[in-house]
Amino acid sequence: MDAKDVFIAKRVAQEFKDGDFVNLGIGIPTLVGNYIPKGVRVFFHSENGFTHIGPMPNSEEDIDRELINASDQYVTILPGGAFFDSAVSFGIIRGGHLAATVLGGLQVDQEGNLANWRMPGKKTVGMGGGMDLAVGAKRVIIAMEHTNKGEPKIVKKCNVPLTGLKCVDLIVTEMAVMAVTEKGLVLKEIAPGVTVDQVRAATEAEFTVDPDLKIISVE
Amino acid sequence: MDAKDVFIAKRVAQEFKDGDFVNLGIGIPTLVGNYIPKGVRVFFHSENGFTHIGPMPNSEEDIDRELINASDQYVTILPGGAFFDSAVSFGIIRGGHLAATVLGGLQVDQEGNLANWRMPGKKTVGMGGGMDLAVGAKRVIIAMEHTNKGEPKIVKKCNVPLTGLKCVDLIVTEMAVMAVTEKGLVLKEIAPGVTVDQVRAATEAEFTVDPDLKIISVE
Amino acid sequence: MAKVISIEEAVDLIKDGMTIMVAGFWGVGTPEKLIDALVAKGTKNLTSISISTALTTKGVGKLVANRQLKKVIVSYIGRNPATSEQYESGDLEVEFVPQGTLAERIRAGGFGLGGILTPTGVGTEIEQGKQRITVDGRDYLLEKPLRADVALIKAYKADKAGNLVYRKAARNTNPLMAAAADITIVQADEILEIGEIDPDEVMTPGIFVDYLVQG
Amino acid sequence: MAKVISIEEAVDLIKDGMTIMVAGFWGVGTPEKLIDALVAKGTKNLTSISISTALTTKGVGKLVANRQLKKVIVSYIGRNPATSEQYESGDLEVEFVPQGTLAERIRAGGFGLGGILTPTGVGTEIEQGKQRITVDGRDYLLEKPLRADVALIKAYKADKAGNLVYRKAARNTNPLMAAAADITIVQADEILEIGEIDPDEVMTPGIFVDYLVQG
């Protein structure tokens, strides 16, 4: 596991309130589940049709072949969970019943547009439930590395196919936490040892700096 | 119970095939359930949320207060029935999963338009599930008296508010059975002792007479 | 996560002028204790969404009889003379919605749809003010979502995670309305501990439920 | 009323060129025995509607690998190299539909709706060729219903009236697809007598089901 990714996941995990229902996308977002602060109960929604995703089974004989998560991994369900069909599952997503979703990103632009499903020139595998999550969850948090091989991922305007229009609320990277506001991107927090100038150099988008800028603090 | 109404109900009851799911409206249509021919299994759908409506409970202690039909009568459910919510119940109706519905009529016109929910000048109580049944069931059978105090109910063009547009397939009255076809109304059967001229006199709509005109036969 | 509260606390969540959804069909599946408490409290100028206005002694009908409603969105008002009387006198606004359309509009409200296209009502009075859209040669009406401030739900069994199970014909609009309000309050015959309802048996997942009241 | 038939009789109902729906999510909730029999039969030029094309050894993926499909309507084709290969070579048409939209389109097909309005996909590539409709200030795409000639369903328990019960995450698209095809065929782990499933426990009412096959 990449240390940057763990750092991002830990910071994202601070975003939830006790009792929140949350959907985690694949990649860095999946890691977030490992770092929920003590005392905060977060319930995870699985788009294939249940809430209260539990840990993976301890042993082969604990596996239930009809209980997988959306990434086709055997999981368990915690007490209080419920199963439902795909229409209800996406009704939950689209209807704003999730406090948040955490998704990866190829690009996010300063208007909060998100691109994460298709990269021209690479294989197209489909959007799965990503487009629904992007427009449906109450808060859309993007957990991604700040740049791709030095190339900024937080841009003025996305130039790869969009997943959702003006849907992003918060961007968490290994360098920074940025909020998408009506007045544009606002740098809210920076990683320890990182300067605002370094964030600016790694970011194509315009952003303002919160007068109350904080240092990201994770355990 | 009016003898005319029983006659109509008995004739309508001949319209079903073994295994059909059917919804019966209030009034004459409700009577239809009493006269299903032997050997034909018809399953009744209750729009408040189940199939396989069974008979009314035999005694006070057999009543289940959470098991009523859409007319607020205590009923039972036959083996093979299932409960579901209102969206599924009307999905069944709208989605064409009912072989037929039997509805009453204020007016039916020669294009198959149906008016049965509201009579100007009288109290408006609402359409309930009637408009959904009119457009959704595979066959819409209207069970009604041929005239209202001598006034034809089968008309050239409905002049009271419509329930559904071009939705009626068959009209069964105490005088006649008429089919709505692409070429207009066709008189298919007449009641014993009734002449075509009498049907014509009691009908405002234009209709043709099936060359194979039959006499309605009920037990 | 559902919070168990008293009936008084529950009806305190409903303020004058709010829109409420009341589940049930002729009172079957209606949380009558919540309705009774709302009658006792006398909250006014409510808009109510329900299948019918039931009877003057049942379900939403009690709120009509007590003149607490300014508008009802329903498919049927027969059998409740109070509704007809207030409707005719102009004291009560009545929006008639075909029952299947009502169910879909509520579901759309809960599930984030901007509306649904239904063939129901095309060419009738209820088309007035609505957009007609042709899809693959057939005409449909665009019907918009319905939501409420508060949904009043009646369950047979609930667990403290808010998972609900209904019984027989009492299910009707309950699962739809539970998802379509900002605050969902459930009157349950039985309130069980978390884990006491099989997750496969749940008819309304707890994610939709805010408050539980002992029925 | 459902009729119990053999797997061979079941796949004989599927003809070259038909559209099929295949329930399941990564094969969980997919009637694999029906798929295997369809692979053995070699029926060609099918269009398939499913969440994903699963793996080459699972679910719809086997039909892709055996080149029996001319088109797939799916939300995801990752993890199945056969799909990607045929898609890139132009041998297989792929229509990508966001997963939640796919679920609603299938439901609309089964429930007689002319379509639904969803915010999903507004402003993205998948808006192409679709109508954008503004409702109360928010933009939605009009998404049309999907239906199939045959739906292939996997149940845990069925009774001979066709009532179905699913288990855990195997429910997914099963209840939606069961209602949205001209012919609905169910592979059930257990086929029970009528009356052996509690009517409150039924997840898909028998009215939607035509044929049962022992799983």
Side-chain angles (χ1 to χ4, degrees):
Chain A
M1 242 179 283
D2 192 291
K4 271 197 267 187
D5 296 354
V6 170
F7 177 82
I8 295 168
K10 285 183 171 176
R11 176 59 192 82
V12 170
Q14 298 169 2
E15 287 296 311
F16 309 125
K17 292 192 314 294
D18 189 45
D20 276 357
F21 283 85
V22 172
N23 185 297
L24 302 177
I26 51 172
I28 302 176
T30 304
L31 297 179
V32 171
N34 302 331
Y35 305 108
I36 304 299
K38 285 241 152 57
V40 178
R41 285 165 303 174
V42 174
F43 305 109
F44 294 103
H45 167 266
S46 196
E47 62 215 61
N48 54 323
F50 61 104
T51 61
H52 291 59
I53 308 180
M56 296 189 181
N58 286 320
S59 64
E60 185 72 24
E61 65 253 37
D62 288 343
I63 286 175
D64 184 322
R65 299 203 175 269
E66 294 196 318
L67 186 40
I68 58 167
N69 64 16
S71 302
D72 198 14
Q73 296 164 314
Y74 293 118
V75 291
T76 53
I77 184 170
L78 298 171
F83 293 104
F84 33 76
D85 69 37
S86 298
V88 173
S89 188
F90 281 84
I92 287 171
I93 291 171
R94 203 188 306 101
H97 302 281
L98 296 178
T101 187
V102 185
L103 299 172
L106 293 170
Q107 287 183 344
V108 179
D109 70 24
Q110 59 197 40
E111 289 189 335
N113 297 313
L114 168 67
N116 75 354
W117 81 281
R118 191 166 95 70
M119 187 55 112
K122 290 200 178 172
K123 271 193 171 59
T124 297
V125 294
M127 70 295 282
M131 286 191 179
D132 299 283
L133 284 161
V135 302
K138 274 205 194 101
R139 287 183 81 209
V140 175
I141 301 170
I142 304 303
M144 65 177 189
E145 298 190 7
H146 206 94
T147 60
N148 177 23
K149 296 166 192 157
E151 200 68 38
K153 297 177 70 173
I154 305 173
V155 296
K156 284 190 202 307
K157 195 157 183 60
C158 291
N159 60 15
V160 295
L162 291 186
T163 303
L165 218 54
K166 295 181 185 171
C167 59
V168 175
D169 295 286
L170 197 74
I171 308 164
V172 178
T173 74
E174 77 283 7
M175 296 183 82
V177 175
M178 284 187 185
V180 182
T181 74
E182 286 181 10
K183 295 177 179 168
L185 292 182
V186 180
L187 178 66
K188 306 286 288 186
E189 300 177 28
I190 49 174
V194 171
T195 66
V196 172
D197 283 347
Q198 284 173 319
V199 174
R200 234 179 258 289
T203 307
E204 185 202 288
E206 286 166 25
F207 63 87
T208 58
V209 180
D210 192 322
D212 189 25
L213 183 69
K214 292 196 171 61
I215 307 294
I216 296 175
S217 159
V218 300
E219 278 176 24
Chain B
M1 243 180 281
D2 192 291
K4 272 196 266 188
D5 296 355
V6 170
F7 178 82
I8 295 168
K10 285 183 171 176
R11 176 59 192 83
V12 170
Q14 298 169 0
E15 287 296 311
F16 310 124
K17 292 192 314 296
D18 188 44
D20 276 358
F21 282 86
V22 172
N23 185 297
L24 302 178
I26 52 172
I28 302 176
T30 305
L31 297 179
V32 171
N34 302 330
Y35 305 108
I36 304 298
K38 285 241 153 55
V40 178
R41 286 165 303 174
V42 175
F43 305 109
F44 295 103
H45 167 266
S46 195
E47 63 215 62
N48 55 323
F50 59 105
T51 61
H52 291 57
I53 307 181
M56 296 192 179
N58 286 320
S59 64
E60 185 74 24
E61 64 254 35
D62 288 342
I63 286 174
D64 184 322
R65 299 201 176 272
E66 294 196 317
L67 186 41
I68 58 167
N69 63 17
S71 302
D72 199 13
Q73 295 163 315
Y74 292 117
V75 291
T76 53
I77 184 169
L78 299 172
F83 293 104
F84 33 76
D85 69 35
S86 298
V88 173
S89 188
F90 281 84
I92 287 172
I93 291 172
R94 205 190 303 102
H97 301 282
L98 297 177
T101 186
V102 185
L103 300 172
L106 293 169
Q107 285 183 346
V108 180
D109 71 25
Q110 59 197 41
E111 290 190 333
N113 296 313
L114 169 67
N116 75 354
W117 79 281
R118 191 166 96 70
M119 188 55 114
K122 290 199 177 174
K123 272 193 172 59
T124 297
V125 294
M127 70 295 282
M131 285 191 179
D132 300 283
L133 284 161
V135 302
K138 274 205 194 102
R139 288 183 80 208
V140 175
I141 301 170
I142 303 304
M144 65 178 189
E145 299 191 6
H146 206 93
T147 59
N148 178 22
K149 297 167 191 154
E151 200 68 38
K153 298 176 70 174
I154 305 174
V155 297
K156 284 191 203 303
K157 195 159 183 56
C158 291
N159 60 16
V160 295
L162 291 186
T163 303
L165 218 55
K166 296 182 184 170
C167 58
V168 175
D169 295 287
L170 198 74
I171 308 165
V172 178
T173 75
E174 77 284 7
M175 296 184 83
V177 176
M178 285 187 184
V180 182
T181 74
E182 285 181 10
K183 295 178 179 169
L185 291 182
V186 180
L187 178 65
K188 307 285 287 185
E189 300 177 27
I190 49 173
V194 171
T195 67
V196 172
D197 282 347
Q198 284 173 320
V199 175
R200 235 179 255 290
T203 307
E204 186 203 287
E206 286 166 27
F207 62 87
T208 57
V209 181
D210 192 321
D212 189 25
L213 183 69
K214 292 195 171 62
I215 308 294
I216 296 175
S217 159
V218 300
E219 279 176 23
Chain C
M1 289 300 292
K3 198 175 161 197
V4 181
I5 58 174
S6 70
I7 287 194
E8 293 69 31
E9 288 171 306
V11 295
D12 279 353
L13 295 164
I14 305 170
K15 312 293 183 195
D16 287 354
M18 276 189 170
T19 296
I20 60 173
M21 287 183 179
V22 181
F25 203 109
W26 295 124
V28 172
T30 300
E32 297 285 4
K33 288 192 181 174
L34 284 169
I35 300 293
D36 290 343
L38 191 55
V39 167
K41 183 137 195 271
T43 314
K44 291 271 190 251
N45 291 317
L46 299 171
T47 295
S48 135
I49 301 168
S50 60
I51 292 281
S52 78
T53 53
L55 313 177
T56 53
T57 55
K58 251 190 188 178
V60 181
K62 298 175 192 169
L63 298 170
V64 177
N66 200 35
R67 305 187 84 87
Q68 291 176 259
L69 305 181
K70 67 172 179 209
K71 180 177 179 182
V72 292
I73 300 175
V74 286
S75 70
Y76 197 73
I77 62 169
R79 297 182 71 209
N80 187 329
T83 311
S84 291
E85 195 187 301
Q86 292 174 38
Y87 176 40
E88 278 159 36
S89 69
D91 290 347
L92 180 68
E93 189 186 341
V94 178
E95 179 182 339
F96 287 108
V97 182
Q99 201 176 133
T101 301
L102 188 63
E104 285 296 320
R105 290 180 66 188
I106 296 166
R107 180 181 181 276
F111 282 6
L113 301 174
I116 55 101
L117 302 187
T118 178
T120 304
V122 169
T124 76
E125 279 181 359
I126 69 130
E127 181 168 348
Q128 281 165 27
K130 288 169 193 161
Q131 209 177 329
R132 188 193 284 210
I133 293 178
T134 305
V135 176
D136 298 334
R138 191 172 179 195
D139 286 348
Y140 299 91
L141 299 186
L142 166 52
E143 293 277 4
K144 293 186 187 180
L146 283 173
R147 285 189 60 85
D149 296 301
V150 179
L152 300 179
I153 301 302
K154 162 71 169 59
Y156 167 51
K157 291 193 289 187
D159 71 18
K160 287 178 178 168
N163 293 305
L164 309 181
V165 174
Y166 311 102
R167 202 177 150 275
K168 304 201 175 180
R171 194 179 318 183
N172 56 68
T173 53
N174 274 293
L176 309 170
M177 291 181 172
D182 294 343
I183 299 173
T184 295
I185 306 172
V186 179
Q187 174 191 320
D189 291 348
E190 230 184 323
I191 299 176
L192 303 167
E193 294 304 316
I194 291 174
E196 290 185 2
I197 299 180
D198 179 341
D200 266 331
E201 199 196 328
V202 172
M203 297 178 187
T204 289
I207 190 169
F208 297 132
V209 173
D210 300 295
Y211 297 101
L212 298 175
V213 161
Q214 178 66 56
Chain D
M1 289 301 291
K3 198 176 161 197
V4 181
I5 58 175
S6 70
I7 287 193
E8 292 69 31
E9 289 172 306
V11 296
D12 280 352
L13 295 164
I14 305 170
K15 312 292 184 195
D16 287 353
M18 276 190 169
T19 296
I20 59 173
M21 286 183 180
V22 181
F25 204 109
W26 295 124
V28 172
T30 300
E32 296 285 5
K33 288 191 182 175
L34 284 170
I35 301 292
D36 290 343
L38 192 55
V39 167
K41 182 135 197 271
T43 315
K44 291 272 189 249
N45 291 316
L46 299 171
T47 295
S48 135
I49 301 169
S50 60
I51 293 281
S52 77
T53 52
L55 313 178
T56 53
T57 55
K58 250 189 187 178
V60 181
K62 298 175 193 170
L63 298 170
V64 178
N66 201 35
R67 306 186 83 88
Q68 292 177 260
L69 305 181
K70 67 173 179 207
K71 180 176 179 182
V72 292
I73 301 175
V74 286
S75 71
Y76 197 72
I77 61 169
R79 298 182 71 210
N80 186 329
T83 311
S84 291
E85 195 187 301
Q86 292 174 37
Y87 176 40
E88 278 160 36
S89 69
D91 291 346
L92 180 69
E93 189 185 341
V94 178
E95 180 181 338
F96 288 108
V97 181
Q99 200 176 134
T101 301
L102 188 63
E104 286 297 320
R105 290 181 65 189
I106 295 166
R107 181 181 181 277
F111 282 6
L113 301 174
I116 55 101
L117 302 188
T118 177
T120 304
V122 170
T124 75
E125 280 181 358
I126 70 132
E127 181 168 350
Q128 281 166 25
K130 288 170 193 159
Q131 210 175 329
R132 189 193 284 212
I133 293 177
T134 305
V135 176
D136 298 335
R138 190 172 180 194
D139 287 347
Y140 298 91
L141 298 187
L142 166 52
E143 293 278 4
K144 294 185 186 179
L146 283 172
R147 284 189 61 86
D149 297 300
V150 179
L152 301 179
I153 301 302
K154 162 72 170 60
Y156 167 51
K157 290 194 288 187
D159 70 19
K160 287 177 177 168
N163 293 304
L164 308 182
V165 174
Y166 311 102
R167 200 175 151 277
K168 303 202 176 178
R171 193 180 319 184
N172 56 68
T173 54
N174 274 293
L176 309 169
M177 291 182 172
D182 294 342
I183 300 174
T184 295
I185 307 173
V186 179
Q187 173 191 322
D189 291 348
E190 232 185 321
I191 299 177
L192 303 167
E193 294 305 315
I194 290 175
E196 290 184 0
I197 298 180
D198 179 341
D200 266 332
E201 199 197 327
V202 171
M203 297 176 187
T204 288
I207 190 168
F208 297 131
V209 173
D210 300 294
Y211 297 101
L212 297 175
V213 160
Q214 179 65 56

